[in-house]
């Protein structure tokens, strides 16, 4: 038996009703914009789908619309080195240059490693300025047993993303749940799925995607 699924009609949203941060994001004179949908996917895996906007411009170079692509990135997006993805390659090269660190020196190599293992969704969604500030701050933690938290608000206003670094020997499920609950209660979140990243470092990295009401 054939089953058809029909998506509900989209609700109209006026640009003038959006917060200033969202309006500036929508009208930014950049061809591509990256974000996430606020509704979990019902296929493949229960994640928040990725949204890619290709903007349309007037003859005066003003944004007059966009074509949106909604779905989940395929696995090569996450397994391929970011230097091999053109858009990310340019952003990462600019961050390295603007950091002022010698790429052959110790600090420069630490920054390179931070960028190579940075959460891929964040590489796409963060502005170059945000990535520069966060990646260099993470590089300065290097192998120190301290806890650091980095919080970013999605410019569409639907999410916060949070990176938590902590010593591996302190990490356990109970502590992760406490952090998750604290983030949800503080931000009034509806949901806060996470990923944990373990490497040879003495630190573990937790990446929370925190869904909040618009």
């Amino acid at each position: 038996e054939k089953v058809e699924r029909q998506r509900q009609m989209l609700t109209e949203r006026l640009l003038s009703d959006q917060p200033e941060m969202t309006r500036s994001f929508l009208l930014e004179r950049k061809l591509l914009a990256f974000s996430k949908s606020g509704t979990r996917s019902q296929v493949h895996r229960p994640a928040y789908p990725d949204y890619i906007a290709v903007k349309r411009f007037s003859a005066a170079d003003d944004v007059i619309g966009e074509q949106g692509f909604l779905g989940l990135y395929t696995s090569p997006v996450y397994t391929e080195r970011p230097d091999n993805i053109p858009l990310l390659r340019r952003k990462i090269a600019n961050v390295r240059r603007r950091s002022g660190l010698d790429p052959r020196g110790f600090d420069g190599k630490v920054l390179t490693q931070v960028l190579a293992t940075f959460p891929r969704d964040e590489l796409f969604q963060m502005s170059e300025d945000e990535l520069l500030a966060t990646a260099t701050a993470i590089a300065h933690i290097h192998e120190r047993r301290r806890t650091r938290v980095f919080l970013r608000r999605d410019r569409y206003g639907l999410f916060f993303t949070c990176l938590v670094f902590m010593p591996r020997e302190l990490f356990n499920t109970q502590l992760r749940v406490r952090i998750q609950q604290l983030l949800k209660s503080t931000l009034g979140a509806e949901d806060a799925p996470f990923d944990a990243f373990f490497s040879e470092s003495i630190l573990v990295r937790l990446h929370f995607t925190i869904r909040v009401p618009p």
Side-chain angles (χ1 to χ4, degrees):
E1 182 181 355
K2 183 179 179 181
V3 178
E4 294 185 358
R5 294 184 180 180
Q6 291 188 345
R7 182 172 179 172
Q8 294 180 349
M9 293 292 292
L10 296 178
T11 55
E12 186 179 77
R13 292 196 304 164
L14 296 177
L15 187 64
S16 58
D17 291 340
Q18 305 308 308
E20 174 59 33
M21 180 177 66
T22 303
R23 289 202 303 270
S24 65
F25 179 57
L26 294 171
L27 297 176
E28 199 170 30
R29 288 186 172 93
K30 289 185 177 180
L31 179 62
L32 299 175
F34 299 85
S35 61
K36 282 187 173 294
S37 166
T39 304
R40 277 184 178 268
S41 171
Q42 300 298 312
V43 297
H44 192 48
R45 61 181 187 270
Y48 290 106
D50 301 287
Y51 182 77
I52 302 175
V54 182
K55 298 184 182 180
R56 292 187 288 113
F57 298 87
S58 68
D61 206 29
D62 294 320
V63 177
I64 58 173
E66 68 181 32
Q67 182 72 42
F69 297 87
L70 186 67
L72 297 172
Y73 294 136
T74 56
S75 58
V77 173
Y78 297 99
T79 57
E80 188 74 62
R81 285 187 59 85
D83 284 340
N84 293 334
I85 300 175
L87 183 84
L88 299 186
R89 178 169 64 238
R90 290 192 293 271
K91 183 184 288 188
I92 287 172
N94 289 340
V95 167
R96 289 176 181 148
R97 175 182 53 80
R98 292 176 60 189
S99 74
L101 299 175
D102 180 356
R104 297 165 297 181
F106 178 78
D107 290 338
K109 290 180 179 178
V110 172
L111 178 61
T112 295
Q113 179 63 17
V114 168
L115 292 168
T117 59
F118 210 81
R120 196 57 49 91
D121 290 344
E122 291 295 279
L123 284 181
F124 279 109
Q125 294 173 40
M126 293 178 93
S127 69
E128 188 178 301
D129 288 344
E130 289 172 327
L131 182 59
L132 173 65
T134 303
T136 51
I138 292 170
H140 289 151
I141 303 175
H142 186 66
E143 299 307 300
R144 296 184 177 92
R145 285 182 168 79
R146 59 178 60 173
T147 298
R148 291 291 305 276
V149 177
F150 301 91
L151 194 67
R152 181 185 71 86
R153 185 174 188 178
D154 172 72
R155 292 173 69 186
Y156 264 124
L158 296 178
F159 294 92
F160 284 88
T161 57
C162 183
L163 298 178
V164 179
F165 292 80
M166 66 172 58
R168 291 181 64 155
E169 68 267 19
L170 297 182
F171 176 74
N172 55 49
T173 300
Q174 291 76 21
L175 183 57
R176 188 267 301 165
V177 170
R178 286 177 59 194
I179 295 172
Q180 211 165 13
Q181 291 173 341
L182 179 61
L183 290 170
K184 289 174 67 175
S185 63
T186 300
L187 298 173
E190 301 172 355
D191 195 15
F194 79 100
D195 288 306
F197 177 71
F198 297 89
S199 65
E200 295 179 355
S201 171
I202 63 173
L203 302 175
V204 60
R205 183 189 73 204
L206 302 176
H207 176 208
F208 296 92
T209 302
I210 308 164
R211 175 72 165 94
V212 294

